[in-house]
Amino acid sequence: MASSNRRAALYARVSTDEQARDGTSLATQRERCRAYIAAQGWDCAGEYVDEGVSGAKASRPQLDALMSAASTNAIDAIVVAKLDRFGRSTRHLANALGDLDDWGVAFVSIAEAFDSASPSGRLQRNMLGAFAEFEREQIRDRMMAGQRATVSAGYWPAGPPPHGYMIVQKGAHKALEINEAEAEGIRVATAVIVDEGGTVGDAANRLNGLGFRRRKSGRWSRIALRRRLLADHWSGEWTWRSGTEAPV
C-alpha cells in the first residue's frame, strides 16, 4: 500500500502521577499525532487513549484494542508523540514492536523522529526503548531512596494512615499522631473483649450501636474489626516494605 494511503492510528497515554505539561498531556499528544498524520497525507483510522495508566504495564485497555486492530490488518501504522507513551519496559516494547513488524504495521514516534518501516528506524527505536526503561528505573530508585530516608527518620512516607492515626505536617515531612475519635472506638472494642469477656462480634455491635464507623465502609463487621485489632501498628511500630520498621 502506498505511504500516502496509510491508515494510521494514534496512541496517547498519561499516568496518574504525571502532570498535564507540554508533551505529556493527552490533549497535546493527540494534537501532535493528528498534525503528523495529516501532514503525511495519511488517513486517521482511530484514536486510542489510556488515561491514568503506567507505561510500565504491558496490558492497557486502549493499547490492547490498538494491538488487536493492528493484528487484523485494520491499520497500517501507529503514531505516538513520544516512545515512552507507548511503553517504558524494554521487554514490553520488544514484544509489542516485534508483533507490529510481523504484521507489517509501521511504528512512528514523532519526538524521536523515526519510522520503523526502515531498518535504521527499527534500530533507533530499539535503542531508545532501552534508554526509556533505564530512565524509569533511575526515577524509581531515587523515589525509593527518598522514601527509605523518610522512613528511617520516623516520618510517614506516603499513603493513608493506619486506623487510629492521622497524618500531621512536621516541617517538610509528614508524621503520624493518634486520631482520638478512631482510637476511642478501638478502646471501646478492647474493653468489650478484655474486660467484659465478649466476642469480637459483640464488640462490633457495640461500636455500631455507639455510632463508631469505619472510614469508608460504614458499619463494623466482625471480620473487619478483628483485622483492625490484630494490626501490628498498635505496638507503636509500623512495617514499610521489606521488613523496614520505624516508630509511629
Side-chain angles (χ1 to χ4, degrees):
M1 180 175 291
S3 61
S4 61
N5 295 323
R6 270 185 178 178
R7 298 164 299 170
L10 71 84
Y11 178 75
R13 178 191 63 80
V14 66
S15 63
T16 54
D17 60 346
E18 287 171 325
Q19 301 298 316
R21 57 183 182 272
D22 182 47
T24 298
S25 74
L26 292 176
T28 300
Q29 291 178 58
R30 295 171 81 169
E31 181 181 350
R32 289 181 176 178
C33 292
R34 289 169 182 165
Y36 183 92
I37 292 172
Q40 301 303 311
W42 299 344
D43 297 326
C44 185
E47 298 185 4
Y48 299 81
V49 179
D50 278 312
E51 184 172 4
V53 183
S54 169
K57 292 185 177 180
S59 179
R60 300 165 231 154
Q62 287 296 292
L63 177 61
D64 293 344
L66 173 62
M67 295 300 288
S68 177
S71 69
T72 57
N73 195 35
I75 57 176
D76 304 304
I78 293 175
V79 178
V80 297
K82 191 176 180 182
L83 183 60
D84 65 3
R85 299 301 90 197
F86 194 71
R88 288 176 177 259
S89 164
T90 299
R91 177 179 295 182
H92 162 246
L93 284 173
N95 292 337
L97 298 177
D99 287 340
L100 295 181
D101 290 342
D102 292 341
W103 300 329
V105 177
F107 181 85
V108 179
S109 175
I110 300 171
E112 287 84 6
F114 70 76
D115 185 334
S116 68
S118 67
S120 61
R122 287 191 290 273
L123 174 62
Q124 183 183 7
R125 175 196 69 191
N126 295 338
M127 292 174 62
L128 289 169
F131 283 124
E133 182 175 30
F134 174 76
E135 179 185 10
R136 181 177 68 88
E137 291 179 348
Q138 289 287 93
I139 292 173
R140 183 181 60 190
D141 287 346
R142 287 195 294 269
M143 290 178 60
M144 287 292 293
Q147 289 186 347
R148 189 174 295 109
T150 298
V151 168
S152 297
Y155 294 108
W156 186 250
H163 189 85
Y165 292 88
M166 61 184 177
I167 296 175
V168 295
Q169 196 71 35
K170 293 290 183 80
H173 300 285
K174 292 180 173 63
L176 294 183
E177 286 189 359
I178 293 177
N179 181 322
E180 286 298 335
E182 292 182 346
E184 181 59 24
I186 296 300
R187 296 186 188 106
V188 169
T190 302
V192 170
I193 298 171
V194 176
D195 299 336
E196 301 177 16
T199 65
V200 176
D202 294 333
N205 291 334
R206 180 75 60 83
L207 292 180
N208 292 327
L210 293 174
F212 290 100
R213 292 291 182 266
R214 298 167 64 190
R215 286 183 185 172
K216 295 182 179 180
S217 304
R219 294 173 60 83
W220 285 98
S221 67
R222 176 180 59 82
I223 295 175
L225 180 58
R226 183 177 186 276
R227 187 182 301 117
R228 288 291 181 271
L229 293 175
L230 293 177
D232 58 5
H233 63 263
W234 300 121
S235 66
E237 293 185 343
W238 49 272
T239 302
W240 180 77
R241 296 191 178 276
S242 58
T244 302
E245 293 185 350
V248 172

